[in-house]
Amino acid sequence: MAPFPFDSLFSSVHCDAPPQPSVTSRTVSAIQTVKSAMAVPESELNRWRRTFDSNAQSVVDGEKYLNPEQFVNAIAPKSDLSRSGRAQFASLFRVADTTKRGLVSWDDFVVFETILKRPDADYWIAFQYFDVDHSGTITYDEFKNVLKSTITSDNIPFDFDGDWVKLYLGKKNGTHVLGYNEFTQLMKGLQGERLRQAFKYLDQDEDGFIRPDQFKRIIMETTGHKLSEAVKERLPTLCTLSPGGRISYSEVSAFHNVIREMDMVERIIREAVSKSKDGRIDQSDFLNHCAESTRYALFTPMEASIIFHFAGRGSATQRLALIDFAQLLDPRWQAPARGAGNTPIEASTAMHVVHEVAHSAYNFLLGGVAGAFGATIVYPIDLGKSNTRMQNQRSTVVGQLLYKNSLDCVRKVLHNEGFVGFYRGLGPQLIGVAPEKAIKLTVNDFVRSRAMDPETGRIKLPWELFAGGSAGGCQVIFTNPLEIVKIRLQMQGEAAKLEGAMPKGAVHIVRQLGLVGLYKGASACLLRDIPFSAIYFPAYAHLKKDIFHEGYNGKQLSFLETLASAAIAGMPAAYLTTPADVVKTRLQTEAKTGQTHYKGMTDAFRKIYREEGFKALFKGGPARIIRSSPQFGFTLVAYEYLHKYVPYPFHEKARDVETAFTSQPEDLAKVRARNALRILLDVHGNIGPGSA
């Protein structure tokens, strides 16, 4: 029986290739492409339409089209984190321009954007770039012609008849073709093969060494688009890692591995630096953290030496901060601009002083606004919490206590004075709290900025405590007069209601006390405010950094995280300083007949302990937490967000390492377009619209 003629019905296929195209299969494929494009959610189509219409300026027969420049505007990320130029992005135009007419229509744009939705869009686009005849496979000739179009006579040649090429494509002019999956693996290893062939081509003596200038030539042609200008200039210095003044293939291979695994290099560096006590690491720290965070030893000692050689500008043994690695991690990194050499030192110093004064004034203004905001929110708690009224109750007074507890205090204030009673004394409070909080925040920021390591951003704990304590001490200039007027205004409200007397205003109280009287109890105020700020500000900073990981891989805290940090930091600070607050309140309150009189801070501590016991020193402690925690929480949140949305106009942006780890989320389609271009650039740095 004769065999059935299957060949007449089915065309031969390759193991890794899609079916050979025919008229029918191409028609079906086209229909499926259109259907998939039309199945895109309406919101995406609207977004794509807006992008297309805003960039399409070429009109033919009444229809809008994108030319190469307009196409780049539509697809390229606005803040590109690589050194990919606009001309190189235009190389993707030939993939979108399926009709080869030099224009991209709306339909072409929809299909291209739909391709970018694929998780493997980068390799898919690269495959289409090499698949010149759109057959769904890549032949030896297609691979050779596309790659040769990127190599000029000045470039290092590539051997298309080498063993590596034959492993993927068979013998020269053979029948083996590449399907999509095989092509992706070829692309992944192509750069390494080009590196190997380039070294072999330049090593004419075959002694395993090349000159530094030859090494730079190889790297510039293969991975130059991934390097900053500073690293490019220092490429020849790789020869200093070993004696002899030349570079071995091992060193070339190690450098290539570092650049290829740069994302992992950055992750290890960032994590190691964040765990370091001084914000700096050396080669041992890098290799140790690499061993801890990866399953296998990902980087060799030679590769670690290369990383620290270029980051340390030739000195690979020193401890480096994250900013030192910027020139290696960030391809766009540039050396800080040098000032004019003829600028007089006196003029520079004077400008620096003016800048510091202006910046402190800016912080003072924002701190005042933030302080007033926080005080307004918690003022009813301050009056009703019994922190003033409960703390001032004395067991030696003839008769019964006015308030049984905090809730009873709130109920009686509301009953006797109404809702307005909870805001009694708010005017003087706001007048005083603005400079109080302003000077506290300004002094703390000023001292921390002077004690902070400019490269690591770290500050030692003793300096953190000193900065906070200094801020607390300076604020007493405004705090003490404010507190004594506020307390007497609050205390006279209940007494006036019971005695039928008219409450007196703040002006009368100030005149009655005089300048010296306004600072009555200042020693107790210092005893409260200095340790409060010394506890609060370091706790706030470490909660943000160590608990909520602010700045880790560019993380910015949310509103709730910032509020939680500021509020939680206020809890231990408020409770632990309650004894000083109790003594201050007793000293600043005018004693009535039958009440214990205090001669000073020491006398007040002694008498309160003797007459009322140790617990009396912490009377109102929980209520202080209830007030101070939200007040400082909202104050610091307001202060942080004011700095964010009302930035200092003359502020010099601090140097930072901005990469894909720290950048804000981008449109995923544009990210994939950029990744596709990177794959093509790995083929050769000369790739562009004119190649192939």
Side-chain angles (χ1 to χ4, degrees), residues 510-572:
V510 172
R511 289 177 178 176
Q512 183 184 33
L513 291 171
L515 181 61
V516 177
L518 287 174
Y519 285 93
K520 184 178 182 180
S523 56
C525 203
L526 286 169
L527 188 63
R528 179 198 65 177
D529 291 341
I530 290 178
F532 180 96
S533 297
I535 295 172
Y536 179 79
F537 285 111
Y540 172 64
H542 284 277
L543 279 167
K544 291 197 301 178
K545 177 180 178 294
D546 300 331
I547 303 301
F548 295 106
H549 306 294
E550 181 185 36
Y552 181 71
N553 288 344
K555 178 183 177 182
Q556 295 182 355
L557 298 189
S558 65
F559 173 84
L560 291 179
E561 288 175 326
T562 306
L563 180 62
S565 300
I568 294 172
M571 294 178 181

Side-chain angles (χ1 to χ4, degrees), residues 38-307:
M38 297 307 295
V40 176
E42 184 67 22
S43 60
E44 283 190 339
L45 282 175
N46 289 339
R47 177 165 52 86
W48 294 349
R49 172 59 77 175
R50 286 196 302 270
T51 302
F52 181 84
D53 290 340
S54 61
N55 291 282
Q57 304 298 325
S58 302
V59 180
V60 179
D61 297 331
E63 296 291 334
K64 286 186 174 182
Y65 293 90
L66 293 169
N67 62 26
E69 181 179 358
Q70 296 159 3
F71 176 78
V72 172
N73 293 335
I75 68 164
K78 294 182 178 179
S79 57
D80 185 30
L81 294 176
S82 69
R83 297 185 58 83
S84 307
R86 292 180 59 85
Q88 293 167 327
F89 264 104
S91 62
L92 302 180
F93 179 82
R94 58 170 288 188
V95 177
D97 181 20
T98 57
T99 60
K100 307 304 177 186
R101 56 186 168 183
L103 294 172
V104 170
S105 66
W106 162 244
D107 292 336
D108 294 333
F109 187 73
V110 170
V111 171
F112 185 81
E113 288 287 349
T114 304
I115 291 175
L116 291 178
K117 289 173 62 66
R118 295 176 57 103
D120 59 344
D122 42 10
Y123 279 100
W124 188 266
I125 291 175
F127 180 81
Q128 290 188 323
Y129 189 89
F130 275 82
D131 184 16
V132 179
D133 61 359
H134 304 290
S135 64
T137 60
I138 296 175
T139 65
Y140 171 83
D141 290 333
E142 285 180 316
F143 172 75
K144 180 178 180 179
N145 292 335
V146 173
L147 185 54
K148 282 186 66 176
S149 67
T150 66
I151 302 174
T152 66
S153 58
D154 296 332
N155 297 139
I156 300 172
F158 183 81
D159 182 11
F160 292 95
D161 297 325
D163 293 337
W164 184 86
V165 176
K166 292 178 181 179
L167 289 174
Y168 282 96
L169 290 162
K171 296 181 179 179
K172 183 178 180 181
N173 299 325
T175 57
H176 186 77
V177 295
L178 292 178
Y180 171 66
N181 291 331
E182 287 182 319
F183 171 79
T184 59
Q185 293 304 124
L186 177 143
M187 293 298 290
K188 192 170 183 179
L190 177 59
Q191 192 175 67
E193 174 62 13
R194 292 190 61 242
L195 193 80
R196 187 192 66 81
Q197 289 194 18
F199 186 92
K200 185 177 180 181
Y201 174 79
L202 295 175
D203 181 21
Q204 296 180 357
D205 296 336
E206 297 184 355
D207 60 354
F209 290 95
I210 58 175
R211 299 193 309 272
D213 61 305
Q214 293 173 327
F215 165 71
K216 182 176 182 179
R217 181 183 177 187
I218 293 175
I219 298 302
M220 291 298 293
E221 290 191 17
T222 55
T223 58
H225 59 286
K226 298 179 179 179
L227 305 177
S228 67
E229 293 298 329
V231 173
K232 289 180 181 179
E233 292 178 1
R234 293 182 179 273
L235 283 175
T237 66
L238 187 65
C239 66
T240 62
L241 289 183
S242 57
R246 295 194 297 170
I247 299 173
S248 67
Y249 180 71
S250 297
E251 292 169 324
V252 176
S253 178
F255 183 87
H256 173 254
N257 290 340
V258 168
I259 302 304
R260 184 180 59 185
E261 300 292 344
M262 189 56 69
D263 286 342
M264 184 57 69
V265 170
E266 178 176 358
R267 184 181 297 277
I268 293 173
I269 289 174
R270 286 186 179 275
E271 292 178 356
V273 167
S274 66
K275 293 182 178 181
S276 173
K277 293 183 178 180
D278 60 353
R280 300 173 185 273
I281 60 173
D282 55 21
Q283 291 187 41
S284 297
D285 298 325
F286 176 85
L287 290 173
N288 288 337
H289 188 76
C290 179
E292 294 173 359
S293 57
T294 59
R295 181 171 298 180
Y296 305 105
L298 189 61
F299 296 102
T300 65
M302 178 180 286
E303 291 165 354
S305 297
I306 290 174
I307 292 171

Side-chain angles (χ1 to χ4, degrees), residues 370 373-375 377-378 559 563 566-567 629-639:
F373 173 75
I377 290 180
V378 303
F559 173 84
L563 180 62
S629 179
Q631 179 180 6
F632 276 88
F634 285 106
T635 298
L636 266 295
V637 166
Y639 188 65

Side-chain angles (χ1 to χ4, degrees), residues 57 60 161 175 281 284 327 405 407 424 497 539 587 641:
Q57 304 298 325
V60 179
D161 297 325
T175 57
I281 60 173
S284 297
Q327 59 183 317
N405 50 47
L407 293 178
R424 187 178 302 280
K497 186 72 176 181
L587 290 173
Y641 275 82

Side-chain angles (χ1 to χ4, degrees), residues 1-13:
M1 183 177 180
F4 192 84
F6 286 99
D7 293 342
S8 62
L9 296 179
F10 301 97
S11 58
S12 60
V13 297

